[in-house]
Amino acid sequence: MRRVKRKFLIVAGLFISGLNPLWATSSQKITSNTKIKGNSSKSLSQNQKQQRVLYELNAPEDLFLPSRSREVLVKTYQKVNLDQLENLLINNNRAIKIYLERVEQAKSILKSSLSSWYPTLNLTANGIPQYFESNNFNESSVIQDTSSKQWSSSISAQVKWDLINPARVPEIASARDSFEKSKYSYAIILRDLKLEAKKRYFNLQKANEEIEVAKKSIESSTIGLRDAEIRFESGIGTKLEVLEARTQLARDQQLFNIKLGDQKIGQRSLAEILNFPEDVTPLIGTKTQVTGIWDLSLEDSIIAAYNSREELESILLEISINNSNANAALAASQPKLSIVNTSTSSFAKGELNQISPNTSNTSSNFSNTIGLNATWFIFDGGNSRSLYNYNKSKAKEAKLNFAARRAQIRQEVEQVFFKLESAKLNISASYTEVLSARESLRLAKLRYKSGITTQREVVNNQRDLTDSEVRYIISVTSYNTLLADLSRQTGLDNIKPCDIKVNPQNQSDIDSKSLYESNLIPLCQL
């Protein structure tokens, strides 16, 4: 038996030593990529652990389903800054983790396809051991009865290696491109979610500012109503002035209620994309202000978008995948050559078909067979050629999609760029409107106290100021959202920060509950 095992190991070693050295190279490449990715993920997780907010806002478990009302009751409010959104997304968002899993799945498929370079080893054992016993009875007196009593075992090992396999190379190429495509898909969803998180952040920021404006309007309307009632009780004013003041106060309260609902919706919307725990609601600690200016021309922005958009790279990989699938389909009708080595060893104790079997008799056998096996589907009804044409057509379709997507990317960049320019002008216009409305309200109040005008003028100017402040907040929020969108479209963070200086002439007019004068100075004094 030792001699048999030694022969089998020598034969198997000869075949394994003749393997293509590209197997080791391919395996090392995947392993090295895995190590690099693991190190980057490890360093990223270390940076995240250093931030206290990430520790406090861990996402709930995947299969957790609240069953009691106190489990979904909001008990914690956590401030979130704009620069924390990306880390919170990567740490908590489920969509990002799903795409990470898809990357790992594509990596496993690639490893599976690389295994076609290796030989296969199959072990087959029959009866380990098995016992056979039988009795044969003959009616003829010439032939004596026989019986069998035997213990036996058999083991067979087969090593098979595909010397020629036309489908091997295109299948590996397709799997490798699919792996790269999955990484691009991850980068695309990460950018999209970062943009969506910023939009929700800015909208929540806008709702907070609008609530402050509504509160200020309510305070001003309350004072106006009190003055109107005092004037009416003194016989100076009229009932109409009191009713107008009450109407304006009711409008301001309605505005406050609407914006309060928008704030709650914005908070839960931001909590959803950041995947906060059920009992945690985010708060925005910063006020609405211009985050910066775009420091690239339209032409440079378009070129940057072409160079950085993963969608175009993904389409190029799709073309390559379809071409590889076409070659793999055509390979099904091409010959395949394999070398096969089969070694069989058997052992038996006892005898078969003997008058008196000797159960102590032992025997053993070893055989080794080596040869070439060839397979060639000469005619398959045109199946392989049809699949080849199908995948080639898919590759041509992907080329057309590339051209269409390229034109679409330019259109998207141009639209966002032009909208950003319009938003810049809207900030300047709304800035002027706020200052004019504020001064008009001040003059209207002086005229009303002097008895020159009526309460109607004060109410109208109060409403104009509220509307102008809301429009200013909307214009700044729209500008910041478009700025973030342009950054996502181009793949660049080419935002020049603003160093806004407060106008000393209006410094004394700044109220802690009103819009800051520094926020009203449009676009870095440009």
Side-chain angles (χ1 to χ4, degrees), residues 81-121:
N81 296 326
L82 185 61
D83 55 356
Q84 294 174 336
L85 291 181
E86 182 176 355
N87 287 334
L88 286 171
L89 276 173
I90 296 175
N91 187 62
N92 289 348
N93 188 269
R94 296 301 180 202
I96 292 178
K97 293 184 178 182
I98 289 174
Y99 276 82
L100 279 176
E101 290 298 326
R102 291 179 181 178
V103 172
E104 292 299 322
Q105 294 167 11
K107 181 179 178 181
S108 299
I109 294 296
L110 175 57
K111 287 185 176 181
S112 174
S113 63
L114 285 173
S115 64
S116 61
W117 280 111
Y118 293 86
T120 59
L121 173 62

Side-chain angles (χ1 to χ4, degrees), residues 239-524:
K239 183 66 174 178
L240 180 60
E241 294 178 347
V242 176
L243 294 176
E244 289 176 346
R246 286 180 180 174
T247 301
Q248 181 59 36
L249 178 59
R251 289 172 179 170
D252 293 335
Q253 289 175 341
Q254 291 177 17
L255 176 64
F256 175 78
N257 295 334
I258 293 174
K259 299 308 177 183
L260 189 62
D262 293 341
Q263 182 191 52
K264 294 178 180 179
I265 294 174
Q267 287 175 340
R268 296 314 307 167
S269 178
L270 184 59
E272 184 272 331
I273 196 172
L274 298 180
N275 198 27
F276 279 3
E278 297 283 345
D279 59 345
V280 178
T281 290
L283 296 177
I284 302 300
T286 57
K287 292 185 175 292
T288 300
Q289 60 182 1
V290 175
T291 57
I293 57 174
W294 188 249
D295 201 23
L296 279 181
S297 64
L298 175 60
E299 293 75 15
D300 292 336
S301 300
I302 294 174
I303 297 301
Y306 287 158
N307 294 332
S308 62
R309 293 296 287 270
E310 291 84 358
E311 293 92 333
L312 296 179
E313 296 294 335
S314 181
I315 295 176
L316 291 177
L317 287 174
E318 186 177 351
I319 296 173
S320 179
I321 290 172
N322 289 322
N323 287 328
S324 298
N325 291 339
N327 294 332
L330 197 61
S333 60
Q334 297 175 353
K336 181 179 179 180
L337 183 64
S338 304
I339 184 171
V340 181
N341 183 86
T342 304
S343 299
T344 304
S345 177
S346 60
F347 173 80
K349 185 177 181 181
E351 293 180 337
L352 301 176
N353 299 323
Q354 299 295 327
I355 298 176
S356 178
N358 183 7
T359 58
S360 300
N361 185 32
T362 60
S363 62
S364 61
N365 177 52
F366 174 78
S367 63
N368 187 78
T369 304
I370 186 171
L372 296 176
N373 293 345
T375 304
W376 189 359
F377 292 100
I378 298 178
F379 180 73
D380 59 357
N383 178 61
S384 59
R385 176 58 63 176
S386 298
L387 291 177
Y388 174 83
N389 294 333
Y390 168 77
N391 286 284
K392 280 296 184 180
S393 177
K394 294 286 288 183
K396 293 180 180 179
E397 178 186 349
K399 291 180 181 179
L400 297 175
N401 289 335
F402 181 88
R405 186 59 181 144
R406 181 184 59 204
Q408 185 179 3
I409 287 175
R410 171 164 186 163
Q411 182 185 14
E412 291 173 352
V413 173
E414 289 176 339
Q415 286 182 353
V416 176
F417 191 90
F418 295 145
K419 288 181 179 179
L420 187 66
E421 292 295 322
S422 299
K424 184 189 300 183
L425 299 177
N426 288 337
I427 291 177
S428 300
S430 60
Y431 160 72
T432 304
E433 183 184 7
V434 169
L435 296 182
S436 300
R438 185 178 295 170
E439 181 64 17
S440 298
L441 178 60
R442 186 183 69 84
L443 295 176
K445 288 180 178 180
L446 292 177
R447 286 163 57 85
Y448 178 68
K449 291 180 180 179
S450 302
I452 302 175
T453 186
T454 63
Q455 181 69 21
R456 168 62 64 180
E457 183 178 350
V458 177
V459 169
N460 291 338
N461 282 277
Q462 174 65 39
R463 183 170 61 250
D464 292 341
L465 177 59
T466 301
D467 293 342
S468 64
E469 288 179 338
V470 170
R471 279 193 290 269
Y472 172 78
I473 294 171
I474 293 175
S475 63
V476 174
T477 302
S478 176
Y479 177 86
N480 290 336
T481 302
L482 291 170
L483 195 62
D485 194 0
L486 188 56
S487 177
R488 186 262 176 270
Q489 297 287 347
T490 59
L492 301 176
D493 192 14
N494 226 47
I495 301 175
K496 183 178 179 181
C498 284
D499 184 15
I500 302 177
K501 298 180 181 180
V502 178
N503 190 347
Q505 181 179 355
N506 298 324
Q507 176 68 28
S508 59
D509 297 333
I510 295 178
D511 184 12
S512 60
K513 293 185 179 180
S514 65
L515 294 173
Y516 286 106
E517 188 71 24
S518 59
N519 292 346
L520 295 176
I521 297 179
L523 298 175
C524 311

Side-chain angles (χ1 to χ4, degrees), residues 117-183:
W117 280 111
Y118 293 86
T120 59
L121 173 62
N122 297 325
L123 293 177
T124 304
N126 295 323
I128 47 175
Q130 67 179 4
Y131 179 72
F132 178 75
E133 181 177 359
S134 67
N135 294 309
N136 300 324
F137 301 99
N138 298 299
E139 296 180 356
S140 173
S141 59
V142 180
I143 303 176
Q144 297 183 353
D145 297 338
T146 61
S147 61
S148 301
K149 294 182 179 180
Q150 187 181 64
W151 287 90
S152 64
S153 63
S154 175
I155 185 171
S156 176
Q158 183 185 74
V159 179
K160 182 180 179 181
W161 182 31
D162 294 336
L163 298 178
I164 299 176
N165 186 0
R168 178 166 49 198
V169 173
E171 288 176 352
I172 293 176
S174 177
R176 191 180 298 277
D177 290 337
S178 298
F179 176 54
E180 295 297 327
K181 184 180 178 181
S182 67
K183 292 192 289 185

Side-chain angles (χ1 to χ4, degrees), residues 46-106:
Q46 289 177 352
N47 293 333
Q48 293 174 350
K49 289 180 180 178
Q50 293 175 358
Q51 300 188 17
R52 181 171 175 267
V53 65
L54 296 183
Y55 174 77
E56 293 178 350
L57 301 178
N58 289 329
E61 295 182 1
D62 297 339
L63 301 180
F64 172 72
L65 185 64
S67 58
R68 289 169 290 187
S69 59
R70 67 171 179 267
E71 294 176 348
V72 297
L73 177 64
V74 176
K75 295 176 290 187
T76 306
Y77 292 89
Q78 178 66 50
K79 286 188 177 181
V80 178
N81 296 326
L82 185 61
D83 55 356
Q84 294 174 336
L85 291 181
E86 182 176 355
N87 287 334
L88 286 171
L89 276 173
I90 296 175
N91 187 62
N92 289 348
N93 188 269
R94 296 301 180 202
I96 292 178
K97 293 184 178 182
I98 289 174
Y99 276 82
L100 279 176
E101 290 298 326
R102 291 179 181 178
V103 172
E104 292 299 322
Q105 294 167 11

